[in-house]
Amino acid sequence: MTQLSEIRRARPVLGTLVEITARGTSAEQLAEAVNASFTEIQRVHDLMSFHERGSDISRVNRLAHRIPVRVHPWTWRVLLEARNLARKSRGAFNITVADRLVRWGYLPCPISTRAAIRGDWHDVRLLPGHRVRLDRRVLIDLGGIAKGFAVDLAVAALQRHHVQSGLVNAGGDLRGFGSRRHVVHLRHPAYPGVFLPAFELDSGALATSAAYFAQRVWRGRRVAPVVSRTGRPSITATSVTVAARTCMRADALTKVCLLNGSSAARRLGGRAFVLAAEELSPRLLAA
Amino acid sequence: MDVFNKWLLPAAAVIVAPSAYATQYLTIEQAQQAIFPGASFTPAFVKITDEQKKQIERRTDVNVRIREQRVWRVSTGGYFIVDEVVGKHEFITYAIGLDAAGAVQQIEVMDYRESYGYEIRNAEWRRQFVGKHAGEKFKLDEDIKNISGATLSCRHITDGVKRVLALYDIALK
């Protein structure tokens, strides 16, 4: 029985630390696989980052209300998924809430004009030839879905390079594959430096949404980067974890779960778990 | 493939982590080989003068904490630089590989450490966690590998890279 090698690497990308664990028979092949995976993740970052001026998303935000903007097929895929989820969640999942995130200080304002943002997710038109058009001005931010998408691509890249089992973790959005079980810990919602063993995962994805690092005060009000359908910040002292088959879906469904409840997330392929501040293990939220 | 039945660990044994989570990904030698495989490295550490510190801070708006930067010249061209950044609760040591033109080729995190100063070892503080659920135990967990839950942004590393690039411009080019 060949002994398996394992490598673990972390790099800053997608605005967070991305960690890749990979197991296989050849250390050299593992290094190559991990490099290839990080290259794909970097590509997602370059295409979909709200902060990079040259990204597809920045070009759409600046120009697509005037002319259609052609985007990379990956960006297209994510926008398509975002639109489907927006429709099925009646707007709970919404990539056009960036204007509020800008106002509350979570994102820098990317457009030089103070033009009013009047549009909504309905105004994002996906045209043939991977082109995007905005009927009215909106600010798109893929922060709630792009990390999950990048994780899925990274896992596929590792598998193409014959990695037998592993896990990709992008700032807490993670996906495992292969036959090895991974123990996943959650941060305690009130004490983020305390870790609770919560799940055993072999293949599948988890994404967790919690406010411990993200809550801030804006004009005397507490805000958080999760926006309800009425445009208000969703403040919660719990940690919500969604399990799904893909990380893109798990990532997006944490927002749906926070705003619409666990049955809404379940209808879209996710299982939701909540970890309350006074509990020590997460509870499955059944319908 | 039914992943959902395997989700929850038994709640009877409750394990709480020590107050400092730490993980090492690479040693210096491993990081060197990860970024520049097969190359050899010549130490060329830089002692940052007061004037250089001022220049870097003015240019980048980032504080210079380290006064001796660990730099190696790479035999195949470029530089291998070790840097440290400190956040509110995290301490990260990482490596930057610069190519012959001074552009960032690759970044690898070497050490990641967190510290919250909770009194985990203090029985008084721990009492708030135990005693609420039947059958629970309290142990110190040394084996945390995969964490789901928003982590800190890598803003500090971004600032660090800016600072190191300015140092390259001022002292190494």
Side-chain angles (χ1 to χ4, degrees), chain B residues 67-144:
Chain B
R67 296 308 295 267
E68 182 178 56
Q69 193 83 44
R70 289 180 281 173
V71 178
W72 285 259
R73 215 162 315 170
V74 185
S75 60
T76 48
Y79 288 91
F80 175 88
I81 301 169
V82 171
D83 192 44
E84 294 163 10
V85 291
V86 177
K88 195 162 172 213
H89 301 290
E90 73 280 15
F91 190 101
I92 305 173
T93 307
Y94 68 103
I96 306 177
L98 299 182
D99 66 19
V104 176
Q105 181 173 304
Q106 195 171 318
I107 297 175
E108 293 281 356
V109 174
M110 289 163 45
D111 284 278
Y112 178 92
R113 285 197 296 295
E114 278 185 11
S115 180
Y116 282 80
Y118 302 144
E119 300 311 315
I120 290 276
R121 284 181 170 80
N122 179 318
E124 196 61 51
W125 189 86
R126 271 162 34 191
R127 207 167 291 148
Q128 66 188 305
F129 292 107
V130 299
K132 294 193 181 101
H133 308 262
E136 69 192 16
K137 295 172 281 208
F138 185 99
K139 282 164 56 185
L140 290 184
D141 184 353
E142 304 295 335
D143 199 22
I144 301 154

Coordinates of all heavy atoms in Angstrom, one line a residue, chain B residues 67-144:
Chain B
R67 N 12.8 46.3 11.3 CA 13.9 47.1 10.9 C 15.0 46.3 10.2 O 15.9 46.9 9.6 CB 14.5 47.8 12.1 CG 13.6 48.8 12.8 CD 13.0 49.8 11.8 NE 14.0 50.6 11.2 CZ 14.4 51.8 11.8 NH1 13.7 52.3 12.8 NH2 15.3 52.6 11.2
E68 N 14.9 44.9 10.3 CA 15.8 44.1 9.4 C 15.0 43.2 8.6 O 14.3 42.3 9.1 CB 16.8 43.3 10.3 CG 17.7 42.5 9.3 CD 18.8 41.7 10.1 OE1 18.4 40.9 11.0 OE2 20.0 41.9 9.8
Q69 N 14.9 43.4 7.3 CA 14.1 42.6 6.4 C 14.9 41.4 5.9 O 16.1 41.5 5.5 CB 13.7 43.4 5.2 CG 12.6 42.7 4.4 CD 11.2 43.0 4.9 OE1 10.9 44.1 5.3 NE2 10.4 42.0 5.0
R70 N 14.4 40.2 6.1 CA 15.1 39.0 5.6 C 14.9 38.8 4.1 O 13.8 38.5 3.7 CB 14.5 37.8 6.4 CG 15.0 37.8 7.9 CD 14.4 36.6 8.6 NE 13.0 36.8 9.0 CZ 12.3 35.8 9.6 NH1 12.8 34.6 9.8 NH2 11.0 36.0 9.9
V71 N 16.0 39.0 3.4 CA 16.0 38.9 1.9 C 17.0 38.0 1.5 O 18.1 37.9 2.0 CB 16.3 40.3 1.3 CG1 16.3 40.3 -0.2 CG2 15.3 41.4 1.8
W72 N 16.7 37.2 0.5 CA 17.7 36.3 -0.2 C 17.7 36.6 -1.7 O 16.6 36.8 -2.3 CB 17.3 34.8 0.0 CG 17.5 34.3 1.3 CD1 18.6 33.5 1.8 CD2 16.7 34.4 2.5 NE1 18.4 33.1 3.1 CE2 17.3 33.7 3.5 CE3 15.4 35.0 2.7 CZ2 16.7 33.6 4.8 CZ3 14.9 34.9 4.0 CH2 15.5 34.2 5.0
R73 N 18.9 36.6 -2.3 CA 19.0 36.8 -3.7 C 18.8 35.4 -4.3 O 19.4 34.4 -3.8 CB 20.3 37.4 -4.1 CG 20.3 38.3 -5.3 CD 21.5 39.1 -5.4 NE 21.8 39.7 -4.1 CZ 23.0 40.3 -3.8 NH1 23.9 40.5 -4.7 NH2 23.2 40.8 -2.6
V74 N 18.0 35.2 -5.4 CA 17.8 33.9 -6.0 C 18.7 33.7 -7.1 O 18.9 34.6 -8.0 CB 16.3 33.8 -6.5 CG1 16.0 32.4 -7.0 CG2 15.3 34.3 -5.4
S75 N 19.3 32.5 -7.2 CA 20.4 32.2 -8.2 C 19.8 32.3 -9.6 O 20.5 32.7 -10.5 CB 20.9 30.8 -8.0 OG 19.9 29.9 -8.1
T76 N 18.5 32.1 -9.8 CA 17.9 32.1 -11.1 C 17.3 33.5 -11.4 O 16.7 33.7 -12.4 CB 16.8 31.1 -11.3 OG1 16.0 31.2 -10.1 CG2 17.4 29.7 -11.3
G77 N 17.6 34.5 -10.5 CA 17.0 35.8 -10.7 C 15.9 36.1 -9.8 O 15.1 35.2 -9.5
G78 N 15.9 37.3 -9.3 CA 14.8 37.7 -8.4 C 15.2 37.6 -6.9 O 16.4 37.4 -6.6
Y79 N 14.2 37.9 -6.1 CA 14.5 37.9 -4.6 C 13.4 37.0 -3.9 O 12.2 37.0 -4.3 CB 14.4 39.3 -4.1 CG 15.6 40.2 -4.5 CD1 15.5 40.9 -5.6 CD2 16.7 40.2 -3.7 CE1 16.6 41.7 -6.0 CE2 17.8 40.9 -4.1 CZ 17.8 41.7 -5.2 OH 18.8 42.5 -5.6
F80 N 13.8 36.5 -2.8 CA 12.9 35.8 -1.9 C 13.0 36.5 -0.6 O 14.0 36.7 0.0 CB 13.4 34.3 -1.7 CG 12.6 33.6 -0.6 CD1 11.5 32.8 -1.0 CD2 13.0 33.6 0.7 CE1 10.8 32.1 -0.1 CE2 12.3 32.8 1.6 CZ 11.2 32.1 1.3
I81 N 11.8 37.0 -0.1 CA 11.7 37.9 1.0 C 10.7 37.4 2.0 O 9.6 37.0 1.7 CB 11.3 39.3 0.6 CG1 12.3 39.9 -0.4 CG2 11.2 40.3 1.8 CD1 11.8 41.1 -1.2
V82 N 11.1 37.4 3.3 CA 10.2 36.9 4.4 C 9.7 38.1 5.1 O 10.5 39.0 5.5 CB 11.0 36.0 5.4 CG1 10.1 35.7 6.6 CG2 11.3 34.7 4.7
D83 N 8.4 38.2 5.3 CA 7.9 39.4 6.0 C 6.9 38.9 7.0 O 6.4 37.8 7.0 CB 7.2 40.2 4.9 CG 6.8 41.6 5.5 OD1 7.6 42.2 6.2 OD2 5.6 42.1 5.2
E84 N 6.6 39.8 8.0 CA 5.6 39.5 9.0 C 4.5 40.6 9.1 O 4.9 41.8 9.0 CB 6.3 39.4 10.4 CG 7.2 38.3 10.6 CD 8.2 38.6 11.7 OE1 7.9 39.5 12.5 OE2 9.1 37.8 11.9
V85 N 3.3 40.2 9.3 CA 2.3 41.2 9.5 C 1.5 40.9 10.8 O 1.3 39.7 11.1 CB 1.3 41.4 8.3 CG1 2.0 42.0 7.1 CG2 0.7 40.1 7.9
V86 N 1.1 41.9 11.5 CA 0.3 41.7 12.7 C -1.0 42.4 12.6 O -1.1 43.6 12.2 CB 1.1 42.4 13.9 CG1 0.4 42.2 15.2 CG2 2.5 41.7 14.0
G87 N -2.1 41.7 12.9 CA -3.4 42.2 12.9 C -3.9 42.3 14.4 O -3.1 42.1 15.3
K88 N -5.2 42.5 14.5 CA -5.7 42.7 15.9 C -5.5 41.3 16.7 O -5.1 41.3 17.8 CB -7.2 43.0 15.8 CG -7.7 43.5 17.1 CD -9.1 44.2 16.9 CE -9.7 44.6 18.2 NZ -11.2 44.5 18.2
H89 N -5.8 40.2 16.0 CA -5.7 38.9 16.7 C -4.8 38.0 16.0 O -4.6 36.8 16.4 CB -7.0 38.3 16.8 CG -8.0 39.1 17.6 ND1 -7.9 39.3 18.9 CD2 -9.1 39.8 17.2 CE1 -8.9 40.1 19.3 NE2 -9.6 40.4 18.3
E90 N -4.3 38.3 14.8 CA -3.5 37.4 14.0 C -2.1 37.8 13.7 O -1.8 39.0 13.7 CB -4.2 37.0 12.7 CG -4.2 38.1 11.6 CD -5.2 39.2 11.9 OE1 -5.7 39.4 13.0 OE2 -5.4 40.0 10.9
F91 N -1.2 36.9 13.6 CA 0.2 37.1 13.3 C 0.6 36.2 12.2 O 0.5 35.0 12.3 CB 1.0 36.8 14.6 CG 2.4 37.2 14.5 CD1 2.9 38.4 15.1 CD2 3.4 36.5 13.8 CE1 4.2 38.8 15.1 CE2 4.7 36.9 13.8 CZ 5.1 38.0 14.4
I92 N 1.0 36.8 11.1 CA 1.3 36.0 9.9 C 2.7 36.2 9.4 O 3.1 37.4 9.2 CB 0.3 36.4 8.7 CG1 -1.2 36.2 9.2 CG2 0.5 35.5 7.5 CD1 -2.2 36.7 8.2
T93 N 3.4 35.1 9.2 CA 4.7 35.2 8.5 C 4.5 34.6 7.2 O 4.0 33.5 7.0 CB 5.7 34.3 9.3 OG1 5.7 34.7 10.7 CG2 7.1 34.5 8.7
Y94 N 5.0 35.3 6.2 CA 4.8 34.8 4.8 C 6.0 35.2 3.9 O 6.8 36.0 4.3 CB 3.5 35.5 4.2 CG 3.6 36.9 4.0 CD1 3.8 37.4 2.7 CD2 3.5 37.8 5.0 CE1 3.9 38.8 2.5 CE2 3.6 39.2 4.8 CZ 3.8 39.7 3.5 OH 3.9 41.0 3.3
A95 N 6.0 34.5 2.8 CA 7.2 34.7 1.9 C 6.7 35.3 0.6 O 5.6 35.0 0.1 CB 7.8 33.4 1.6
I96 N 7.5 36.3 0.0 CA 7.2 36.8 -1.3 C 8.3 36.5 -2.2 O 9.5 36.8 -1.9 CB 7.1 38.4 -1.2 CG1 6.1 38.9 -0.2 CG2 6.7 39.0 -2.6 CD1 6.1 40.4 0.0
G97 N 8.0 36.0 -3.4 CA 9.0 35.8 -4.4 C 8.8 36.9 -5.5 O 7.7 37.1 -6.0
L98 N 9.9 37.7 -5.7 CA 9.9 38.7 -6.7 C 10.7 38.2 -7.9 O 11.8 37.6 -7.7 CB 10.5 40.0 -6.2 CG 9.9 40.7 -5.0 CD1 10.6 42.0 -4.7 CD2 8.4 41.0 -5.3
D99 N 10.2 38.4 -9.1 CA 10.9 38.0 -10.3 C 12.0 39.0 -10.6 O 12.2 40.0 -9.9 CB 10.0 37.7 -11.5 CG 9.4 39.0 -12.0 OD1 9.8 40.1 -11.6 OD2 8.3 38.9 -12.6
A100 N 12.8 38.7 -11.6 CA 14.0 39.6 -12.0 C 13.6 41.0 -12.2 O 14.4 41.9 -12.1 CB 14.7 39.0 -13.2
A101 N 12.3 41.2 -12.6 CA 11.8 42.6 -12.9 C 11.3 43.3 -11.6 O 10.8 44.4 -11.7 CB 10.8 42.6 -14.0
G102 N 11.3 42.6 -10.5 CA 10.8 43.2 -9.3 C 9.3 43.0 -9.1 O 8.7 43.6 -8.2
A103 N 8.6 42.2 -9.9 CA 7.2 42.0 -9.8 C 6.9 40.8 -8.9 O 7.7 39.8 -8.8 CB 6.6 41.8 -11.2
V104 N 5.8 40.8 -8.2 CA 5.5 39.7 -7.4 C 5.2 38.4 -8.2 O 4.3 38.4 -9.1 CB 4.2 40.0 -6.5 CG1 3.8 38.7 -5.7 CG2 4.5 41.2 -5.6
Q105 N 5.9 37.4 -7.9 CA 5.8 36.1 -8.7 C 4.8 35.2 -7.9 O 3.9 34.6 -8.5 CB 7.1 35.5 -8.9 CG 7.1 34.2 -9.7 CD 8.5 33.7 -9.9 OE1 9.3 34.4 -10.5 NE2 8.8 32.5 -9.5
Q106 N 5.0 35.1 -6.6 CA 4.2 34.2 -5.8 C 4.3 34.5 -4.4 O 5.3 35.0 -3.9 CB 4.7 32.7 -6.0 CG 3.8 31.6 -5.6 CD 4.3 30.3 -6.0 OE1 4.8 30.1 -7.1 NE2 4.2 29.3 -5.1
I107 N 3.2 34.3 -3.6 CA 3.2 34.5 -2.2 C 2.8 33.2 -1.5 O 1.9 32.6 -2.0 CB 2.2 35.7 -1.8 CG1 2.7 37.0 -2.4 CG2 2.1 35.8 -0.3 CD1 1.7 38.1 -2.2
E108 N 3.5 32.9 -0.5 CA 3.2 31.7 0.3 C 3.1 32.0 1.8 O 4.1 32.6 2.3 CB 4.2 30.6 0.1 CG 4.3 30.0 -1.3 CD 3.2 29.0 -1.6 OE1 2.4 28.6 -0.7 OE2 3.2 28.5 -2.8
V109 N 2.0 31.7 2.5 CA 2.0 31.9 3.9 C 2.8 30.8 4.6 O 2.7 29.6 4.2 CB 0.5 31.8 4.4 CG1 0.4 31.9 5.9 CG2 -0.3 33.0 3.8
M110 N 3.6 31.2 5.5 CA 4.5 30.2 6.2 C 3.9 29.8 7.5 O 3.8 28.7 7.9 CB 5.9 30.8 6.3 CG 6.6 30.8 5.0 SD 8.1 31.9 5.0 CE 8.9 31.4 6.5
D111 N 3.5 30.9 8.3 CA 3.0 30.6 9.7 C 1.8 31.5 9.9 O 1.8 32.7 9.5 CB 4.0 31.0 10.7 CG 5.1 30.0 10.9 OD1 4.9 29.0 11.6 OD2 6.2 30.2 10.3
Y112 N 0.8 30.9 10.5 CA -0.4 31.7 10.8 C -0.7 31.5 12.3 O -0.9 30.3 12.7 CB -1.6 31.3 9.9 CG -2.9 32.0 10.2 CD1 -3.2 33.2 9.6 CD2 -3.7 31.6 11.2 CE1 -4.4 33.9 9.9 CE2 -4.9 32.2 11.5 CZ -5.2 33.4 10.8 OH -6.4 34.1 11.1
R113 N -0.8 32.6 13.0 CA -1.1 32.4 14.5 C -2.2 33.4 14.9 O -2.2 34.5 14.5 CB 0.2 32.7 15.3 CG 1.2 31.6 15.3 CD 2.2 31.7 16.4 NE 3.1 32.9 16.4 CZ 4.0 33.2 15.5 NH1 4.1 32.4 14.4 NH2 4.7 34.2 15.6
E114 N -3.1 32.9 15.7 CA -4.1 33.8 16.2 C -4.0 33.8 17.7 O -3.6 32.8 18.4 CB -5.5 33.2 15.9 CG -6.0 33.5 14.5 CD -7.5 33.0 14.4 OE1 -8.1 32.6 15.4 OE2 -7.9 33.0 13.2
S115 N -4.4 34.9 18.3 CA -4.5 35.0 19.8 C -5.6 35.9 20.2 O -5.6 37.1 19.7 CB -3.1 35.4 20.3 OG -3.2 35.5 21.7
Y116 N -6.4 35.5 21.1 CA -7.5 36.3 21.5 C -7.4 36.7 23.0 O -8.2 37.4 23.5 CB -8.9 35.6 21.3 CG -9.3 35.8 19.8 CD1 -8.8 34.9 18.8 CD2 -10.2 36.7 19.4 CE1 -9.1 35.0 17.5 CE2 -10.6 36.9 18.1 CZ -10.0 36.0 17.1 OH -10.4 36.1 15.8
G117 N -6.5 36.1 23.7 CA -6.4 36.4 25.1 C -7.5 35.9 26.0 O -7.7 36.4 27.0
Y118 N -8.3 35.0 25.4 CA -9.4 34.5 26.3 C -8.7 33.6 27.4 O -7.7 33.0 27.1 CB -10.4 33.6 25.6 CG -11.1 34.2 24.4 CD1 -11.3 33.5 23.3 CD2 -11.5 35.5 24.4 CE1 -12.0 34.0 22.2 CE2 -12.2 36.1 23.4 CZ -12.4 35.3 22.3 OH -13.1 35.9 21.2
E119 N -9.3 33.6 28.5 CA -8.7 32.8 29.6 C -9.1 31.3 29.6 O -9.8 30.8 30.5 CB -9.1 33.4 31.0 CG -8.7 34.9 31.1 CD -7.2 35.1 30.7 OE1 -6.4 34.2 31.2 OE2 -6.9 36.0 30.0
I120 N -8.7 30.7 28.5 CA -9.2 29.3 28.3 C -8.7 28.4 29.4 O -9.4 27.5 29.9 CB -8.6 28.7 26.9 CG1 -9.3 29.4 25.8 CG2 -8.8 27.2 26.9 CD1 -10.6 28.8 25.4
R121 N -7.5 28.7 29.9 CA -7.0 27.8 30.9 C -7.5 28.2 32.3 O -7.3 27.5 33.3 CB -5.4 27.8 30.9 CG -4.9 26.9 29.7 CD -3.4 26.9 29.7 NE -3.0 25.9 28.7 CZ -2.9 26.1 27.4 NH1 -3.3 27.2 26.9 NH2 -2.6 25.1 26.6
N122 N -8.2 29.3 32.4 CA -8.7 29.8 33.6 C -10.1 29.1 33.9 O -11.0 29.2 33.1 CB -8.9 31.3 33.5 CG -9.5 31.9 34.7 OD1 -10.4 31.4 35.4 ND2 -8.9 33.0 35.1
A123 N -10.1 28.3 35.0 CA -11.3 27.5 35.3 C -12.6 28.4 35.4 O -13.7 28.0 35.0 CB -11.1 26.8 36.6
E124 N -12.4 29.6 36.0 CA -13.5 30.5 36.1 C -14.2 30.8 34.8 O -15.4 30.8 34.6 CB -12.9 31.8 36.8 CG -13.9 32.8 37.4 CD -14.7 32.1 38.5 OE1 -14.1 31.6 39.4 OE2 -15.9 32.2 38.5
W125 N -13.3 31.1 33.8 CA -13.8 31.5 32.5 C -14.5 30.4 31.8 O -15.5 30.5 31.1 CB -12.7 32.1 31.7 CG -13.1 32.8 30.4 CD1 -13.5 34.0 30.2 CD2 -13.2 32.1 29.1 NE1 -13.9 34.3 28.9 CE2 -13.6 33.1 28.2 CE3 -12.9 30.9 28.6 CZ2 -13.8 32.9 26.8 CZ3 -13.0 30.6 27.3 CH2 -13.5 31.6 26.4
R126 N -13.9 29.2 31.9 CA -14.3 28.0 31.3 C -15.7 27.6 31.7 O -16.5 26.9 31.0 CB -13.4 26.8 31.5 CG -12.3 26.8 30.5 CD -11.1 25.9 30.9 NE -11.4 24.8 31.7 CZ -10.5 24.1 32.3 NH1 -9.3 24.4 32.2 NH2 -10.9 23.1 33.1
R127 N -16.0 28.0 33.0 CA -17.3 27.5 33.6 C -18.5 27.9 32.7 O -19.5 27.2 32.8 CB -17.4 28.0 35.0 CG -18.3 27.1 35.9 CD -18.1 27.4 37.3 NE -16.8 27.1 37.8 CZ -16.2 27.8 38.8 NH1 -16.8 28.9 39.3 NH2 -15.0 27.5 39.2
Q128 N -18.4 29.0 32.0 CA -19.5 29.4 31.2 C -19.8 28.4 30.1 O -20.9 28.4 29.5 CB -19.3 30.8 30.6 CG -18.2 30.8 29.6 CD -17.9 32.3 29.1 OE1 -18.7 33.0 28.7 NE2 -16.6 32.6 29.3
F129 N -18.9 27.6 29.7 CA -19.1 26.6 28.6 C -19.6 25.2 29.1 O -20.3 24.5 28.5 CB -17.8 26.4 27.8 CG -17.5 27.6 27.0 CD1 -16.4 28.4 27.4 CD2 -18.2 28.0 25.9 CE1 -16.1 29.6 26.7 CE2 -17.9 29.2 25.2 CZ -16.8 29.9 25.6
V130 N -19.1 24.8 30.3 CA -19.5 23.5 30.8 C -20.6 23.7 31.7 O -21.0 24.7 32.2 CB -18.3 22.8 31.4 CG1 -17.2 22.6 30.4 CG2 -17.8 23.6 32.6
G131 N -21.2 22.5 32.0 CA -22.3 22.5 33.0 C -23.7 22.8 32.4 O -24.7 22.8 33.1
K132 N -23.8 23.1 31.1 CA -25.1 23.4 30.5 C -25.6 22.2 29.8 O -26.8 22.1 29.5 CB -25.0 24.6 29.6 CG -24.6 25.9 30.2 CD -24.9 27.1 29.3 CE -24.5 28.3 30.0 NZ -23.2 28.8 29.6
H133 N -24.8 21.3 29.4 CA -25.2 20.1 28.6 C -24.8 18.8 29.2 O -23.6 18.7 29.6 CB -24.6 20.2 27.2 CG -24.8 21.5 26.5 ND1 -25.9 21.7 25.6 CD2 -24.2 22.7 26.6 CE1 -25.8 23.0 25.2 NE2 -24.8 23.6 25.8
A134 N -25.7 17.9 29.3 CA -25.4 16.6 30.0 C -24.3 15.9 29.2 O -24.2 15.9 28.0 CB -26.6 15.8 30.0
G135 N -23.4 15.3 30.0 CA -22.4 14.4 29.4 C -21.2 15.1 28.7 O -20.5 14.5 28.0
E136 N -21.1 16.4 29.0 CA -20.0 17.0 28.2 C -18.7 17.1 29.0 O -18.7 17.1 30.2 CB -20.4 18.5 27.9 CG -20.5 19.4 29.1 CD -21.2 20.7 28.7 OE1 -21.8 20.8 27.7 OE2 -21.0 21.6 29.5
K137 N -17.6 17.1 28.2 CA -16.3 17.1 28.8 C -15.6 18.4 28.3 O -16.0 18.9 27.2 CB -15.5 15.9 28.5 CG -16.1 14.6 29.1 CD -15.3 13.4 28.5 CE -15.9 13.1 27.1 NZ -15.8 11.7 26.7
F138 N -14.6 18.8 28.9 CA -13.8 19.9 28.4 C -12.4 19.4 28.2 O -11.7 19.0 29.1 CB -13.8 21.0 29.5 CG -13.1 22.3 29.0 CD1 -13.9 23.3 28.5 CD2 -11.8 22.4 29.0 CE1 -13.3 24.5 28.1 CE2 -11.1 23.6 28.6 CZ -11.9 24.6 28.1
K139 N -11.9 19.6 27.0 CA -10.6 19.2 26.6 C -9.9 20.3 25.8 O -10.6 21.1 25.2 CB -10.6 17.9 25.8 CG -10.8 16.7 26.6 CD -11.2 15.5 25.7 CE -10.2 15.3 24.6 NZ -10.7 14.2 23.7
L140 N -8.6 20.4 25.9 CA -7.9 21.3 25.0 C -7.6 20.6 23.7 O -7.0 19.5 23.6 CB -6.6 21.8 25.6 CG -6.8 22.7 26.8 CD1 -5.5 23.2 27.4 CD2 -7.7 23.9 26.5
D141 N -8.1 21.2 22.6 CA -8.0 20.6 21.3 C -6.8 21.1 20.5 O -6.7 22.3 20.3 CB -9.3 20.9 20.5 CG -9.3 20.2 19.1 OD1 -8.3 19.6 18.8 OD2 -10.3 20.3 18.5
E142 N -5.9 20.3 20.2 CA -4.7 20.7 19.5 C -4.7 20.5 18.0 O -3.9 20.9 17.2 CB -3.4 19.9 20.0 CG -3.2 20.0 21.5 CD -2.9 21.4 22.0 OE1 -2.3 22.2 21.2 OE2 -3.1 21.7 23.2
D143 N -5.8 19.9 17.5 CA -5.8 19.5 16.1 C -6.9 20.1 15.3 O -7.7 19.5 14.7 CB -6.0 17.9 16.1 CG -5.5 17.4 14.8 OD1 -4.7 18.0 14.1 OD2 -6.0 16.3 14.4
I144 N -6.8 21.4 15.2 CA -7.8 22.1 14.3 C -7.2 22.3 13.0 O -6.1 23.0 12.8 CB -8.1 23.5 14.9 CG1 -8.6 23.4 16.3 CG2 -9.1 24.3 14.1 CD1 -8.4 24.6 17.2

